[in-house]
Amino acid sequence: MTRRQALSRARELLVANNIESASLEAELLLRHILRIDRTLLYTEFDRELTPQQEESYRQCIERRLKGEPSAYITGHREFFGLDFLVDNNVLIPRPETELLVEQAITRSRKYSAPLIADIGTGCGAIAISLALSLPDAHIDAVDISEAAVAVAKRNCRKHSVQNRVRFLIGNMLEPLSEPADIIVTNLPYVRTADLPRVNTIGFEPPLALDGGIDGLDMIRRLCFQVREKIKPLGCLLMEIGMGQSEAVTNLLRSIFPSAYIEVITDLSGIKRVVCLTLPR
Ligand SMILES: C[S@@+](CC[C@H](N)C(=O)[O-])C[C@H]1O[C@@H](n2cnc3c(N)ncnc32)[C@H](O)[C@@H]1O
């Protein structure tokens, strides 16, 4: 079977099973098996697959048809233009989280050599993207999952920022030894009742998704802890889910009546990031 034939057959199977972006996914998985880039795939499109390659591709497609996300099959996901290693101990970084990173970069300009804390770092995508974009920043990256931190450390070495990112295993802000200039966080915010509708359910760790009855359990806990772990004039940036902005801004206003609170909308028009800036 040629690459062209294998790709076309895989695409048909993915389409028939209602997998979104079937063409892209079929191609991604074939390139993963062949370990080649797009250009090489299409310049040698009529080349025959070896029997081993055919079998490996068949197995990958079978896993995808059972619902496993392609990022776990390939072990990689791109985020903020960077390649991150992922496995089923970490959430697969989402494109919408890039807004949180962009906001943290913009806001960090008013601090010199800022200390940034990334709470719930998962595979380290936010912390490492910030370290690479902000050469003067130091980042404390916290996660309660030891297995997630192990993945994040591998990503840190891959991107050579070990000297500026420190990983801490623990609960929320507790492991931070000093207050940060910026706290950035993408905590679990899916309502427990909505978990079955998450299309990666059964594959991604529930610890990375489940935000309790109204989705705000973790965010609420963090908001109540934050005062002790943020400097005067510091900034808290939180990713939130659709429909959560009013509850989160009301909560922050009740805890920090004199702080400045903004809500930033993503490209799909969803209120996605809440930013709290503390007074002096
Ligand atoms: C939505 S995922 C975000 C992962 C990553 N920051 C990203 O944006 O792709 C939430 C992360 O919070 C971590 N987490 C859950 N409860 C936590 C807690 N109490 N303290 C610290 N981290 C926690 C999970 O292990 C998971 O890695």
Side-chain angles (χ1 to χ4, degrees):
M1 189 187 298
T2 64
R3 292 173 176 183
R4 185 193 298 274
Q5 289 164 332
L7 191 60
S8 152
R9 195 169 292 182
R11 194 186 298 126
E12 279 168 22
L13 276 169
L14 295 179
V15 168
N17 284 272
N18 302 318
I19 307 262
E20 272 177 45
S21 317
S23 298
L24 267 178
E25 295 222 22
E27 182 199 294
L28 182 79
L29 293 172
L30 183 56
R31 290 203 285 110
H32 164 65
I33 292 300
L34 300 175
R35 306 200 184 284
I36 56 173
D37 64 17
R38 277 198 99 188
T39 314
L40 206 53
L41 175 66
Y42 289 105
T43 48
E44 298 183 0
F45 208 26
D46 288 310
R47 191 163 159 177
E48 287 285 324
L49 297 181
T50 66
Q52 293 93 317
Q53 288 170 340
E54 243 179 74
E55 176 54 19
S56 304
Y57 192 41
R58 192 193 62 71
Q59 286 175 13
C60 281
I61 297 297
E62 204 170 276
R63 285 169 67 182
R64 187 64 194 96
L65 291 174
K66 286 183 181 149
E68 187 170 351
S70 52
Y72 288 157
I73 302 172
T74 62
H76 295 262
R77 173 50 50 102
E78 190 189 306
F79 177 83
F80 215 67
L82 302 163
D83 179 53
F84 287 95
L85 305 170
V86 291
D87 67 21
N88 60 3
N89 293 300
V90 295
L91 185 101
I92 300 163
R94 308 292 203 265
E96 53 267 30
T97 303
E98 293 183 359
L99 180 63
L100 192 64
V101 176
E102 284 162 15
Q103 287 293 322
I105 292 171
T106 308
R107 282 152 206 277
S108 73
R109 301 219 168 96
K110 69 176 188 188
Y111 308 94
S112 78
L115 176 61
I116 303 178
D118 170 25
I119 308 302
T121 195
C123 75
I126 296 173
I128 293 165
S129 301
L130 289 174
L132 287 167
S133 299
L134 300 168
D136 293 338
H138 282 264
I139 293 125
D140 280 344
V142 178
D143 206 291
I144 201 163
S145 159
E146 222 176 305
V149 168
V151 176
K153 282 184 175 169
R154 286 173 60 210
N155 279 314
C156 195
R157 287 193 293 275
K158 175 176 160 71
H159 291 290
S160 307
V161 284
Q162 308 92 299
N163 55 339
R164 287 187 301 111
V165 184
R166 181 168 61 147
F167 289 99
L168 304 161
I169 298 166
N171 190 11
M172 297 283 193
L173 303 166
E174 283 167 15
L176 301 180
S177 53
E178 55 177 312
D181 293 296
I182 297 181
I183 295 177
V184 60
T185 185
N186 176 21
L187 285 168
Y189 55 68
V190 180
R191 295 170 192 88
T192 306
D194 291 339
L195 284 175
R197 285 195 283 279
V198 176
N199 61 5
T200 54
I201 203 69
F203 294 96
E204 285 186 305
L207 185 63
L209 294 168
D210 191 352
I213 290 179
D214 63 353
L216 296 175
D217 278 6
M218 312 293 289
I219 288 178
R220 223 180 280 102
R221 272 167 54 196
L222 182 128
C223 291
F224 282 114
Q225 284 181 13
V226 87
R227 190 186 293 280
E228 310 297 312
K229 298 291 177 151
I230 198 164
K231 290 183 192 168
L233 292 173
C235 170
L236 165 68
L237 283 157
M238 286 189 290
E239 180 169 321
I240 54 164
M242 195 162 43
Q244 294 176 337
S245 77
E246 207 182 325
V248 175
T249 51
N250 286 344
L251 172 68
L252 285 172
R253 219 165 271 130
S254 71
I255 306 173
F256 300 99
S258 53
Y260 180 57
I261 300 169
E262 296 157 82
V263 177
I264 299 116
T265 302
D266 70 14
L267 291 175
S268 317
I270 297 169
K271 290 174 177 167
R272 184 61 70 190
V273 173
V274 174
C275 175
L276 169 98
T277 310
L278 289 184
R280 202 170 279 282

